[in-house]
Amino acid sequence: MGGATKDVLIVPFFGQGHLFPCAELCKHLSSYNCNSFFIIPSHLSSYIPSDLHHHPSIELVRIEYSEATPPPDASNGDWSAARSHHHHQLGQGIQSFLSRRFENAPPAFVVMDVMMNWSKYIFKKANIPIVSFFTSGACGAAMEYAAWNARVNNIGPDPERKIPGLPESMALSYSDTRRRDRREHEHGGRGDGANFAPPRIVHQPSWTDETDGSAALLINTCEGLESPFLKYLTGQVEKPVFGVGPLLPGKFWKSIGSVVHDRDSRPRHETNYTEDEVIQWLDSKPGGSVIYVSFGSEVGPSMEEYDELAEALAETEKSFIWVIQPGAGRPSPPANFFGGKATSDSKEGGYEPRGLEERVGSRGLIIKGWAPQLSILSHPSTGGFLSHCGWNSTVEAIACGTPILAWPIRGDQFYNAKLIAKYHRVGHVVPGIDDLSEMVKKINIIQGIDMLMDDGEVHNQATALKGIFEGGYPSSSAASVKALVELISK
C-alpha cells in the first residue's frame, strides 16, 4: 500500500491472552505502511515476544510508575485500589508520551483493547480516532448482544430461543440466560481483578458502551471460523466490523503440519520443564493418547475443584500434561497483575497436587509455571485439551486440530464452549457445568475425558476444521487489516 507512513497506537490489556494478539496485530499493520507504538506498563515488558523488540516498524512504549507512589500490594485483596492506582499512573504516562511524541501531528488512530475502555477519554481529548479491539472472538459478543436484543431473559426452563441471523445450533437455552461467573459465588462478588463484570444477559452488553464512539471494531477471528457471527454483529452495530485473526505467532503459520516451537515466538518464564523436555516426554507417548490440561493465567477452577481434577487424573488411565499456573485456585489473578508485589504467603503459591506425581509416575507430566502450549497442542501425541475456553487457547487448539473438553469459568468462555461443542462439533463440555451452584466433581471430569478422547467423530471434525488454516494467515483477515487502514486514511 502506497502513501505516507501512518503512526498507530496499540493499547492492550494486561493478560497474555491480550498482549500476544495485540503484538501480532502490530506486525500485520506493518505490512500496510504503519508504524506501531505498543503501549504497556513497564512491569509487563518481560511478557512481550522477543521479535517485537527488534521489529523495524514497532516501538515498545513502556510507561514507568512513579517511584514515590508505588502500586498498592494487591495481594491483600484490595483490587479496586490497585486498579484505580494503576489507571491513574498509566493514564498520566500515556498523556505525557502523547504530548512529547506527537506534539505537532497526532497518530492516524489508536487500536484500544475494549478492556482498556477507561482510557478512552485520553484519546478523545487528543482527537485521535479510536478503533476498538476484541481479543476474544465474535461468537461471545454476538450471543450477548442477541440475548439482550431479544430479551430472552424471560425464556422458560425448557425451550431454546433461536436468534434470527445466527445458527440454529447456537439457540439460547435457559441456562445461557441465567449464567454468571462460576467463581463468583465463592467470594460474594467479582474479586477477579478484571476490568469487567461477567455478562448478565438482562442488561445491555458492556461492550456496547465500551465501543461507543469507535470508528470500527476489530475482532480476533476470521470468516472461516465465525462468519455468521461477524455478519450478525455487522448488521447490529453502526460501524465497520473487521475479523483480523486468529492473531497467532508468525512462526505458527510457517510451521503448519509440524510441531510449533514456542521458544521461537513467545517469552518464557519460570517453569520446571524446558520445552525440549516436554517434547521428549510427548515423543514417548502413542499418537493422540495425551490429554493436555491448562487453564488461563487470570482465572481458573476453585481449590476444591482442583482437588477433584487431581483425583480424576489419578484415576483415569489416560496420559496427561497438567499445567498449574502460579496462584492457581485463588479467586484473584496473580498479585503482580497490576504491578503489585508477589508474596511468600502459601496462598499466593496456589494449588499443589500433593502426591499426584508419585501416584501416576511417567503417565503424567505436571508443569508448574510456563508451558510451551503451541508445542504441546501441535504434537501428534496430544489427543485432547481440557481448557477454560479462553479465546486464545480455543483458536490455538482449533488451528492444531486438537479437540477440546470445555470447562468454562466466566464471560465469553461459556459461548466459546458452545461454539466448540454445538457449532463446530470439535469437542465436548464437561458434564454438569451448567449447574453453577455445584462444583465440578471427579466423576464429571473422568466422564468428560473419556468422552472426548474416545470420540472418533470429534477427532475427525477437528482435523477437518484445521484445514481452513493450511494456507497460513487467512486471506480474509489480511484484507480486513488493509481495509481498516484504508478506512482510517480516508
Side-chain angles (χ1 to χ4, degrees), residues 246-258:
L247 291 164
L248 299 172
K251 290 285 186 180
F252 171 82
W253 301 114
K254 297 176 183 177
S255 304
I256 291 176
S258 60

Side-chain angles (χ1 to χ4, degrees), residues 180-355:
R180 298 175 73 169
D181 191 337
R182 281 197 61 82
R183 299 294 303 276
E184 189 166 340
H185 67 278
E186 294 174 30
H187 39 85
R190 286 171 54 201
D192 54 19
N195 204 34
F196 68 104
R200 297 183 173 99
I201 299 303
V202 294
H203 299 306
Q204 185 173 1
S206 61
W207 65 259
T208 58
D209 290 331
E210 291 162 354
T211 60
D212 183 48
S214 299
L217 306 186
L218 301 187
I219 304 182
N220 184 20
T221 191
C222 66
E223 293 286 344
L225 272 184
E226 296 192 290
S227 177
F229 306 99
L230 284 168
K231 289 178 181 176
Y232 179 84
L233 288 172
T234 300
Q236 301 301 320
V237 300
E238 296 179 352
K239 60 195 71 179
V241 178
F242 298 112
V244 296
L247 291 164
L248 299 172
K251 290 285 186 180
F252 171 82
W253 301 114
K254 297 176 183 177
S255 304
I256 291 176
S258 60
V259 175
V260 182
H261 290 286
D262 273 82
R263 61 171 170 259
D264 296 333
S265 56
R266 289 179 175 171
R268 286 166 287 169
H269 297 280
E270 188 173 345
T271 183
N272 57 335
Y273 285 102
T274 66
E275 183 173 357
D276 288 337
E277 288 171 332
V278 173
I279 292 175
Q280 184 178 7
W281 184 89
L282 283 166
D283 287 342
S284 71
K285 305 301 178 186
S289 66
V290 176
I291 179 79
Y292 171 54
V293 182
S294 180
F295 296 91
S297 58
E298 298 169 38
V299 68
S302 66
M303 286 287 188
E304 294 78 10
E305 287 173 324
Y306 271 118
D307 277 332
E308 296 289 321
L309 174 57
E311 285 300 312
L313 293 175
E315 293 186 21
T316 181
E317 297 179 354
K318 303 292 191 294
S319 296
F320 66 88
I321 293 178
W322 184 10
V323 180
I324 303 178
Q325 300 276 0
R330 302 180 71 238
S332 301
N336 61 354
F337 197 65
F338 290 109
K341 306 170 186 175
T343 73
S344 58
D345 188 290
S346 59
K347 292 183 180 179
E348 174 58 27
Y351 182 75
E352 286 286 340
R354 303 187 188 282

Side-chain angles (χ1 to χ4, degrees), residues 66-101:
S66 167
E67 293 184 6
T69 53
D73 184 356
S75 63
N76 66 11
D78 188 8
W79 285 103
S80 60
R83 187 165 55 247
S84 176
H85 182 89
H86 179 95
H87 291 177
H88 178 71
Q89 289 274 359
L90 187 55
Q92 283 191 327
I94 292 173
Q95 291 181 81
S96 176
F97 166 72
L98 291 176
S99 63
R100 291 195 317 269
R101 191 61 177 263

